Amino acid sequence: MRALPARRIASSALCATLLLGIAAPVAIAADGDSARGHTSAVAAPVPGADALLAQVKSLADIAGVLAPVTDLLNAVLKADNGQLSADQAATLGQAVKDAIAKLTAAAPVTPPAAVPAVPAVPAVPAAPALPALPTLPKSAEAQDDKAPGASGPRAAAPADLAGDALAALQKAVDTLLAAVTSGDPAGVVPAATAVVTGLVNLVVAIVLGGGLPVPDLPGLPSLPSLPAVPAAPAVPALPTGGLLPS
């Protein structure tokens, strides 16, 4: 008679275990779904992230070109008499070319700055013809062309600094590759120096034109600003005295 309560206790314990085994994964899954929902609800970019991401991309663009160019320079300057095999020079040079082409393709095309349109001058009644003015000497005309604020072909928009720096760097790399496979070590150091200079020019061009924050290191000299677009010439004022006497 005493065995019956024991069986009932064991049966009850088994049922409770089965219920816990079924309910526990469901509860854990529900908690996981709740956590994921909470995470997705708060996963939003901070204000101003887009501008910072653009700056980070500019720095990454610099790094993408720095690595292959410095690899080439290290290989050249550590080689015997600065000479590389044709295959090694071709491999290192192609890596630089690919990096420059990638950065050139990723760079946005900046249209030239638009000059504000000159407002139309209101029509005035025709005035009697005036006698012709004497012709100015050529020297005076040349001086007039050079007057400040003169418009025309001389008033050019700022150049694409990054694009010019990339083109100059590629040209310097091509010169270096020719020097390291020529068998003459005399031209290696000048060509390598030109590549280092071209790399510095590229870094400065991206820093100045990439919208990066202004450096604030104490004691650091201020960087020059980009050249400004020339202002449009002023519209001459209309005469206020009315029509000329007949």
Side-chain angles (χ1 to χ4, degrees):
M1 296 297 292
R2 294 181 180 179
L4 184 58
R7 291 179 180 175
R8 291 179 178 175
I9 293 173
S11 176
S12 300
L14 179 59
C15 292
T17 302
L18 292 175
L19 289 174
L20 288 175
I22 296 173
V26 176
I28 293 173
D31 291 341
D33 292 340
S34 177
R36 283 193 297 270
H38 180 70
T39 303
S40 62
V42 299
V46 296
D50 291 340
L52 287 175
L53 285 173
Q55 296 174 359
V56 171
K57 183 182 180 302
S58 296
L59 296 175
D61 290 341
I62 297 175
V65 177
L66 277 175
V69 174
T70 53
D71 288 344
L72 171 62
L73 290 170
N74 284 325
V76 170
L77 297 176
K78 293 178 181 179
D80 185 20
N81 286 326
Q83 297 298 296
L84 301 176
S85 66
D87 292 341
Q88 189 178 8
T91 300
L92 293 171
Q94 187 63 43
V96 174
K97 186 176 182 179
D98 292 343
I100 291 178
K102 182 178 179 181
L103 181 55
T104 303
V109 179
T110 304
V115 179
V118 178
V121 179
V124 295
L130 297 176
L133 296 175
T135 305
L136 294 176
K138 292 184 179 180
S139 59
E141 290 179 357
Q143 292 178 1
D144 183 66
D145 289 342
K146 297 180 181 178
S151 61
R154 292 179 298 276
D160 180 8
L161 295 182
D164 292 345
L166 285 171
L169 178 61
Q170 182 63 68
K171 184 177 179 181
V173 168
D174 293 340
T175 302
L176 177 61
L177 292 174
V180 300
T181 55
S182 65
D184 183 10
V188 172
V189 171
T193 303
V195 172
V196 173
T197 303
L199 203 55
V200 173
N201 289 339
L202 174 63
V203 171
V204 174
I206 293 179
V207 168
L208 289 179
L212 293 171
V214 178
D216 60 356
L217 181 66
L220 186 69
S222 58
L223 294 175
S225 58
L226 291 174
V229 179
V235 179
L238 292 175
T240 57
L243 299 178
L244 295 176
S246 57

